[in-house]
Amino acid sequence: MQKTIAKAFTINGIGLHSGKEFQAVISPAPCNTGIQFKRDDVRHCDYTRITPYNVSSTQLATTIDCGGLPISTIEHFSAAFYGQGIDNAFISVSGTEVPILDGSAKEVIENIEKAGILAQKEKRKVLKVTRPVSIEYEGKTVEIEPCDNFEITFELDYPHPVIGRQVFTYVYDENTFHKEIGIARTFGFKREVEALWSMGLAKGGSLDNAIVIDDKEGVLNKEGLRFPNEFVRHKILDMFGDLALIGYRLQGKIKASKSGHHVNNVFARTLLEATNSYVIEEETESKVIKEQAASCQPYGSFSENIAVSAV
Ligand SMILES: [Zn+2]
């Protein structure tokens, strides 16, 4: 069945881009609402359901367009909802960003667990992949093939001794998501963070909300890593957050190499548009309902140099 949170909760913290304080109020929502965001610092801003098509920027984080207004860094929130099995929720944000918190989905997940989860009356819909779909973009790849579960194998390769090549497979399970994926933090290199600061970007970025790596000293965070392979686990968290925008529960086996928010978003659109490569079913196996698949839309500005293969 579809699920929402049992009661509203509030999350406060600074934004990654601006370094300013923001508040997000997360409230229960009726069946078939999906995950909807709005800005409450602007009058007459209605809730907008997030989809891969209202992603307006993927620089540093995933930014969505809510009635012409940006809300940035939504991906750890959307990952927390998908991961904890929340289908429907309203999120009202006090400005241009949701709080970055500790750079993972930990605090959002803990709040969901504290608020409780409410089963609703209507069944969930699952996008079940029936044929492979893949994309390739500047050496980054994402592919999905049929599978009985939803699982992601991610490979990253950074030419740095602290990270190097990491490959990790996570088979999605609502009961393990929090501890296995949800608490993995984002990461960056000190020299890159300093370059972003000099451009007026990532003003809120610090050791409080990211693993920061120095070329000589390695991980600068005193507490160290939460997992030896926290980096690849965070890339999987990001992928959950970006693919959650598809709006269905997912069934398929993903293999991704070096993908980030941009390629994740292109993949989400490509998958939705590959209408002969999946079926939409209700969650129970007894009755299969095929729906007309999502309407085709152009790739827009993301189309350049992307090889798409969907059969
Ligand atoms: Zn992230």
Side-chain angles (χ1 to χ4, degrees), residues 59-75:
Q59 187 187 30
L60 293 181
T62 297
T63 300
I64 49 159
D65 180 291
C66 276
L69 302 163
I71 301 180
S72 188
T73 330
I74 59 117
E75 64 271 18

Side-chain angles (χ1 to χ4, degrees), residues 75-76 103 186 234 237-238 261:
E75 64 271 18
H76 302 160
T186 191
H234 185 79
L237 178 71
D238 279 344
H261 296 305

Side-chain angles (χ1 to χ4, degrees), residues 54-250:
N54 56 13
V55 170
S56 55
S57 168
T58 51
Q59 187 187 30
L60 293 181
T62 297
T63 300
I64 49 159
D65 180 291
C66 276
L69 302 163
I71 301 180
S72 188
T73 330
I74 59 117
E75 64 271 18
H76 302 160
F77 276 55
S78 55
F81 294 128
Y82 188 101
Q84 297 306 109
I86 303 295
D87 304 288
N88 305 305
F90 290 123
I91 301 103
S92 174
V93 184
S94 66
T96 53
E97 302 181 57
V98 299
I100 184 67
L101 306 171
D102 71 348
S104 79
K106 180 172 177 279
E107 190 173 330
V108 184
I109 292 173
E110 286 172 354
N111 274 279
I112 291 170
E113 289 176 345
K114 211 157 75 181
I117 296 173
L118 201 65
Q120 297 176 291
K121 287 185 177 157
E122 293 192 37
K123 288 176 181 167
R124 285 168 154 175
K125 289 179 178 147
V126 182
L127 186 156
K128 181 179 171 185
V129 170
T130 53
R131 295 174 176 186
V133 177
S134 64
I135 64 164
E136 183 179 355
Y137 176 73
E138 293 183 346
K140 301 162 187 174
T141 58
V142 185
E143 57 186 72
I144 192 165
E145 61 183 59
C147 173
D148 290 337
N149 305 306
F150 176 41
E151 62 178 74
I152 298 177
T153 297
F154 200 104
E155 175 197 29
L156 60 71
D157 196 356
Y158 281 77
H160 191 284
V162 174
I163 305 180
R165 182 174 178 269
Q166 300 189 349
V167 183
F168 186 64
T169 296
Y170 175 67
V171 180
Y172 172 67
D173 178 343
E174 214 170 288
N175 298 310
T176 63
F177 183 81
H178 181 172
K179 299 292 181 208
E180 295 288 329
I181 300 296
I183 62 172
R185 293 163 297 170
T186 191
F187 57 94
F189 294 94
K190 190 180 168 208
R191 57 183 146 76
E192 289 178 356
V193 176
E194 287 168 347
L196 289 168
W197 284 341
S198 71
M199 291 188 284
L201 299 169
K203 288 179 188 165
S206 77
L207 291 167
D208 293 332
N209 50 45
I211 304 163
V212 181
I213 303 152
D214 179 76
D215 285 335
K216 286 181 188 155
E217 295 170 45
V219 172
L220 297 179
N221 308 61
K222 283 200 184 101
E223 71 279 15
L225 298 175
R226 292 178 179 170
F227 307 93
N229 64 352
E230 188 170 356
F231 309 101
V232 71
R233 288 176 191 252
H234 185 79
K235 298 299 278 186
I236 292 175
L237 178 71
D238 279 344
M239 188 160 249
F240 267 89
D242 290 331
L243 300 187
L245 274 62
I246 286 172
Y248 297 108
R249 307 305 291 178
L250 298 169

